[in-house]
């Protein structure tokens, strides 16, 4: 995808990697001239967006790019973040998956904390039910918590948005994401918006709402921790890669060992529930060669990995 674009060899090495980069590689990249690095990363992201109609196989390029821009605190890259968030839900789910809710609030906070007007303008011009709009809204909630001097301003804008939705979009129903957003700032002012929707029976899972609202009055505000790029890789991409690799290898085993399909199904389901890689294959009666790659996703040969367990 990026073979024809002009970027530094070391940046290309990162972007073409399908695993968590080493600390050494990250340090080398972050030591490059800042503006040159930003320009290269932005050119790659723009290319991916322009080719968004033709994506076929997921890769980590957009994640690498976004992590780098945020680590560099490249506030001038905010328009590019908004361009990403304006893409279809399918595009965002394809490339970012769980990071949409677990991690991208940090990109919004770091790149947009000094441009709150621009962030709210994006929300008003788009559909709050879009995945990308939720990314920006989640980031705004955290800006309100991390930067108390902006809290009242953000609360006022959220209140205006939800009241406007209530008046002019009769199909809009408050969902669980709205609930979290409206309560995590712990602003009494936002109760007005909640009451409008509740009174008009425009909420999803009302019983869950009531329980959550009771609990939210006693819990502390959730000020999420800003992570370094190294910790973001450690807590997001690495577990996903390892887990997906285990699932892929278990699927391969299942296709090769029909006689053990029921047993493998049980292990597969347990793995999905627990995300636990500590499976002892010695008791599975599965014919896996000593020199085959181990199904646990370690990248080692079976004889040097789970065969010893």
């Amino acid at each position: 995808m990026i073979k024809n674009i002009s970027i530094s060899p070391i940046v290309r090495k990162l972007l073409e990697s399908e695993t968590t980069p080493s600390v050494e590689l990250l340090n080398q990249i972050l030591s490059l001239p800042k503006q040159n690095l930003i320009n290269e990363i932005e050119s790659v992201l723009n290319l991916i967006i322009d080719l968004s109609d033709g994506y076929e196989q997921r890769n980590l390029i957009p994640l690498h790019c976004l992590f780098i821009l945020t680590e560099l605190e490249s506030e001038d890259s905010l328009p590019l973040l908004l361009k990403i968030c304006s893409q279809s839900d399918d595009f965002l789910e394809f490339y970012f998956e769980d990071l949409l809710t677990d991690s991208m609030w940090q990109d919004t906070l770091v790149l947009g904390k000094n441009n709150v007007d621009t962030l709210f303008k994006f929300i008003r011009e788009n559909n709050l039910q879009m995945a990308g709009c939720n990314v920006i809204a989640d980031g705004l909630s955290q800006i309100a918590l991390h930067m108390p001097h902006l809290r009242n301003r953000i609360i006022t804008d959220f209140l205006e948005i939800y009241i406007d939705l209530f008046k002019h979009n009769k199909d809009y129903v408050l969902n669980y994401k709205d609930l979290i957003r409206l309560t995590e700032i712990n602003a009494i002012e936002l109760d007005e918006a909640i009451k409008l929707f509740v009174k008009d029976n425009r909420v999803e899972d009302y019983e869950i709402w009531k329980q959550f609202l009771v609990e939210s009055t006693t819990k502390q505000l959730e000020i999420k921790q800003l992570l370094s790029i190294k910790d973001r890789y450690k807590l997001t991409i690495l577990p996903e890669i390892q887990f997906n690799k285990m699932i892929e290898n278990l699927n391969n085993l299942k296709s090769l060992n029909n006689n053990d399909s029921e047993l493998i199904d049980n292990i597969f389901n347990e793995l999905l529930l627990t995300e636990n890689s500590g499976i002892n294959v010695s008791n599975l009666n599965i014919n896996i060669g000593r020199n085959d790659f181990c199904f646990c996703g370690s990248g080692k040969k079976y004889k040097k990995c789970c065969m010893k367990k």
Side-chain angles (χ1 to χ4, degrees):
M1 178 179 287
I2 61 172
K3 64 172 64 175
N4 296 322
I5 195 168
S6 177
I7 53 177
S8 308
I10 193 169
V11 174
R12 186 179 300 278
K13 181 178 180 180
L14 168 69
L15 298 185
E16 292 181 345
S17 170
E18 288 300 313
T19 186
T20 299
S22 66
V23 173
E24 180 183 7
L25 178 60
L26 284 175
N27 288 339
Q28 290 176 341
I29 290 172
L30 294 173
S31 68
L32 294 172
K34 180 177 179 179
Q35 194 55 53
N36 290 346
L37 178 56
I38 290 172
N39 292 342
E40 290 187 3
I41 295 297
E42 288 188 340
S43 66
V44 171
L45 268 178
N46 275 309
L47 175 64
I48 290 174
I49 295 172
D50 293 341
L51 297 176
S52 62
D53 289 338
Y55 55 80
E56 295 179 356
Q57 183 175 357
R58 183 173 183 264
N59 58 64
L60 299 180
I61 295 174
L63 296 178
H64 291 312
C65 290
L66 208 50
F67 280 11
I68 292 290
L69 291 176
T70 298
E71 184 71 12
L72 295 174
E73 299 185 12
S74 177
E75 294 187 23
D76 289 341
S77 300
L78 177 61
L80 186 52
L81 173 63
L82 297 179
K83 185 177 180 181
I84 292 171
C85 290
S86 68
Q87 302 305 301
S88 69
D89 287 5
D90 287 342
F91 174 89
L92 293 171
E93 291 288 347
F94 183 80
Y95 280 117
F96 297 100
E97 294 184 335
D98 291 342
L99 298 188
L100 288 172
T101 53
D102 295 344
S103 179
M104 286 180 69
W105 64 266
Q106 178 168 335
D107 306 300
T108 302
L109 186 154
V110 172
L111 302 184
K113 61 181 181 290
N114 292 317
N115 288 281
V116 169
D117 285 340
T118 302
L119 298 179
F120 274 114
K121 182 174 184 289
F122 177 85
I123 291 178
R124 288 189 171 96
E125 292 177 349
N126 292 279
N127 183 349
L128 193 55
Q129 293 176 326
M130 289 171 44
C133 261
N134 274 288
V135 168
I136 301 303
D138 291 345
L140 279 163
S141 295
Q142 287 300 312
I143 291 174
L145 296 176
H146 282 262
M147 307 176 73
H149 66 285
L150 293 175
R151 181 174 178 271
N152 289 338
R153 157 69 202 287
I154 290 173
I155 289 171
T156 300
D157 275 19
F158 267 136
L159 182 60
E160 290 177 357
I161 285 173
Y162 278 101
I163 290 180
D164 187 66
L165 280 171
F166 177 80
K167 291 180 178 179
H168 303 294
N169 187 345
K170 296 301 182 182
D171 294 328
Y172 194 89
V173 176
L174 288 186
N175 56 41
Y176 195 70
K177 288 183 179 178
D178 294 313
L179 174 62
I180 294 174
R181 183 176 305 122
L182 289 167
T183 56
E184 73 177 357
I185 305 178
N186 197 21
I188 297 176
E189 299 92 328
L190 294 176
D191 288 348
E192 178 183 349
I194 296 176
K195 289 175 181 177
L196 285 173
F197 282 91
V198 171
K199 184 177 180 180
D200 208 34
N201 198 28
R202 288 164 58 184
V203 296
E204 291 181 358
D205 300 320
Y206 181 59
E207 292 302 319
I208 297 178
W209 269 76
K210 289 197 298 184
Q211 180 61 30
F212 188 95
L213 289 172
V214 170
E215 294 174 355
S216 67
T217 60
T218 59
K219 72 176 185 178
Q220 293 183 334
L221 304 185
E222 185 184 0
I223 303 179
K224 298 178 181 177
Q225 181 183 359
L226 289 167
L227 302 176
S228 69
I229 188 171
K230 300 176 182 66
D231 287 336
R232 294 186 81 185
Y233 275 118
K234 185 187 302 182
L235 297 177
T236 55
I237 294 181
L238 181 58
E240 177 191 356
I241 292 171
Q242 291 176 330
F243 183 65
N244 287 343
K245 186 63 177 177
M246 287 190 289
I247 297 298
E248 178 186 347
N249 287 331
L250 276 173
N251 273 325
N252 290 338
L253 281 176
K254 181 177 178 180
S255 67
L256 294 173
N257 298 274
N258 292 329
N259 293 334
D260 295 306
S261 60
E262 183 177 353
L263 182 57
I264 294 178
D265 274 342
N266 292 336
I267 298 166
F268 184 90
N269 291 331
E270 182 179 350
L271 179 60
L272 284 174
L273 291 173
T274 64
E275 297 190 7
N276 176 16
S277 62
I279 297 173
N280 186 350
V281 298
S282 63
N283 298 322
L284 300 185
N285 194 25
I286 293 175
N287 183 21
I288 179 171
R290 289 167 50 85
N291 293 311
D292 292 336
F293 285 109
C294 188
F295 76 95
C296 75
S298 67
K300 300 178 183 179
K301 291 187 177 181
Y302 174 54
K303 65 182 179 183
K304 293 186 177 180
C305 193
C306 288
M307 181 179 173
K308 297 180 179 180
K309 296 181 179 179

